[in-house]
Amino acid sequence: MSNVKIEDSWKEALKQEFEQPYFQSIATFLRKEKQKGKKIYPPGSLIFNAFNSSPFSETKVIILGQDPYHNPGEAMGLSFSVPKGVRVPPSLRNIYKELKDDLGITPPQHGDLTKWAEQGVLLLNAMLTVEHKSAGSHRKIGWQDFTNAVIRKLSEERDGLVFMLWGGFARKKKELIDRDKHLVLEAAHPSPLAGGAYFGSRHFSKANEYLQQQGKEPIDWSLD
């Protein structure tokens, strides 16, 4: 699998993962599903979009999602993000509300978080693909082995990163992170189903304060 199309610094950091049997089986599974006519999101060219947008050496913040959006045209390989022109999903609307409460940033009229990614915010989903209209459908095909390895690699080889873990699923990943070296921020999931428990977490300002303490450039969280 040395032909995986992914940004060079990530390709080097994860080269051992690409040679693992589980990764070969992911590729085989996706190929067979497409041959059966199944619709898989995001498109193949965007599966590694989070990595291509935020190189290994430049990543500063990790926002962990669960799996891609499963409606047509929504998933773009960045957790919580949708392309411009697509209706902003409810969880992202709540993220924008928290951003306004925390930093006074007016919510944009779109849901494209590429600007965050380009500043070193790794918008990582635990599963990198999903079947059309079938949430969680690729939960057991091996992606979590891969994305757990990504989290461990960042924890081990980088210093002073911020991990934002929202909701029970993401919070379980904290055991992969060295909390002596990194800031781990936990909160309820921004989904409306969490009943507003996410609000007041102030993770955006906390992240920037920490980055500045580490001598790093803070993130410009505005999206307009």
Side-chain angles (χ1 to χ4, degrees):
M1 291 297 293
S2 56
N3 62 341
V4 175
K5 290 181 173 59
I6 193 171
E7 189 273 332
D8 286 345
S9 67
W10 280 109
K11 193 166 196 173
E12 177 62 25
L14 300 170
K15 60 185 176 185
Q16 290 179 311
E17 300 305 314
F18 296 131
E19 301 303 330
Q20 296 294 326
Y22 81 79
F23 197 86
Q24 315 277 351
S25 70
I26 293 172
T28 302
F29 173 85
L30 293 176
R31 194 161 52 245
K32 286 181 176 174
E33 290 293 279
K34 286 178 180 175
Q35 286 169 354
K36 292 178 194 170
K38 298 270 185 78
K39 287 183 185 169
I40 308 293
Y41 304 130
S45 61
L46 293 178
I47 288 173
F48 294 112
N49 191 18
F51 302 90
N52 295 333
S53 302
S54 179
F56 181 75
S57 58
E58 294 170 31
T59 292
K60 296 190 277 193
V61 177
I62 298 89
I63 299 180
L64 186 66
Q66 199 154 332
D67 63 345
Y69 296 118
H70 52 80
N71 293 315
E74 290 183 344
M76 57 184 294
L78 304 175
S79 62
F80 296 102
S81 181
V82 292
K84 286 179 177 161
V86 174
R87 182 175 161 271
V88 178
S91 290
L92 185 52
R93 280 204 299 274
N94 281 347
I95 291 169
Y96 286 169
K97 183 178 186 303
E98 174 63 18
L99 194 56
K100 185 163 196 325
D101 292 344
D102 187 8
L103 292 172
I105 291 172
T106 303
Q109 297 302 305
H110 63 81
D112 187 346
L113 305 180
T114 300
K115 183 182 169 187
W116 291 359
E118 290 172 345
Q119 295 177 78
V121 180
L122 182 68
L123 296 162
L124 179 67
N125 278 318
M127 280 68 74
L128 299 188
T129 57
V130 70
E131 186 182 332
H132 172 74
K133 297 280 191 186
S134 183
S137 48
H138 292 180
R139 184 174 299 193
K140 296 181 179 175
I141 71 168
W143 278 130
Q144 288 195 72
D145 293 322
F146 179 71
T147 53
N148 284 352
V150 169
I151 295 168
R152 273 195 296 266
K153 197 81 173 172
L154 285 164
S155 175
E156 290 165 8
E157 297 192 9
R158 298 289 315 283
D159 290 298
L161 303 181
V162 180
F163 291 83
M164 296 186 186
L165 307 180
W166 298 338
F169 176 86
R171 292 167 87 161
K172 289 176 186 166
K173 304 291 184 180
K174 67 183 173 186
E175 62 198 41
L176 305 172
I177 304 161
D178 183 344
R179 278 161 277 177
D180 292 330
K181 290 173 62 183
H182 306 287
L183 178 64
V184 175
L185 298 173
E186 298 181 57
H189 196 279
S191 165
L193 299 175
Y198 168 75
F199 297 124
S201 54
R202 305 188 72 84
H203 281 186
F204 303 103
S205 59
K206 288 175 182 175
N208 277 353
E209 285 166 19
Y210 180 78
L211 291 173
Q212 287 174 302
Q213 288 166 8
Q214 300 291 315
K216 297 177 182 177
E217 193 74 24
I219 305 298
D220 174 7
W221 295 105
S222 66
L223 286 161
D224 283 329

